[in-house]
Amino acid sequence: MNSIITNDEIINQFNYIRMNKLNDVKEYLVIHNIILYGIEITDTSESILTHQFQSNVAFMPGNEGTGLNNKQREIVDKYIYIPQYGNGIESLNVTVATSLILHQYTLNK
């Protein structure tokens, strides 16, 4: 017989904390020595294909249309991006981009 795993069963396997303010998020990350990566193409962004993650990390994807807002940018430690090839490709769906980055992170660990 096939078993079906529900979202509730998956979520219950993880410990998570809900925070309502970005400053609280940043304070928590600093206390626990976690680097916050913004998923954004900037002048200082590093490619996920070459970047080696050296510590505990958290990722912050931006808004699908506008990217990270100014308040989010203020708390980000580093930026990473996904190289894209071909004509006419400007960005990826935020869920797809985040999934690719999480996949690459697991390969680098």
Side-chain angles (χ1 to χ4, degrees), residues 69-97:
N69 65 39
N70 289 336
K71 288 183 179 184
Q72 290 170 314
R73 287 186 181 118
E74 288 174 10
I75 69 165
V76 166
D77 298 308
K78 297 181 178 185
Y79 292 96
I80 52 173
Y81 76 98
I82 301 166
Q84 299 175 42
Y85 306 98
N87 295 326
I89 300 174
E90 292 183 16
S91 65
L92 297 170
N93 169 284
V94 69
T95 303
V96 171

Side-chain angles (χ1 to χ4, degrees), residues 44-62:
T44 60
S45 296
E46 296 183 55
S47 167
I48 64 164
L49 299 178
T50 57
H51 183 71
Q52 295 294 313
F53 297 100
Q54 300 294 322
S55 63
N56 293 325
V57 302
F59 298 103
M60 181 176 287

Side-chain angles (χ1 to χ4, degrees), residues 20-27 60 69 71-72 75:
N20 294 320
K21 296 181 182 178
L22 286 174
N23 290 337
D24 294 341
V25 172
K26 183 61 178 180
E27 182 180 330
M60 181 176 287
N69 65 39
K71 288 183 179 184
Q72 290 170 314
I75 69 165

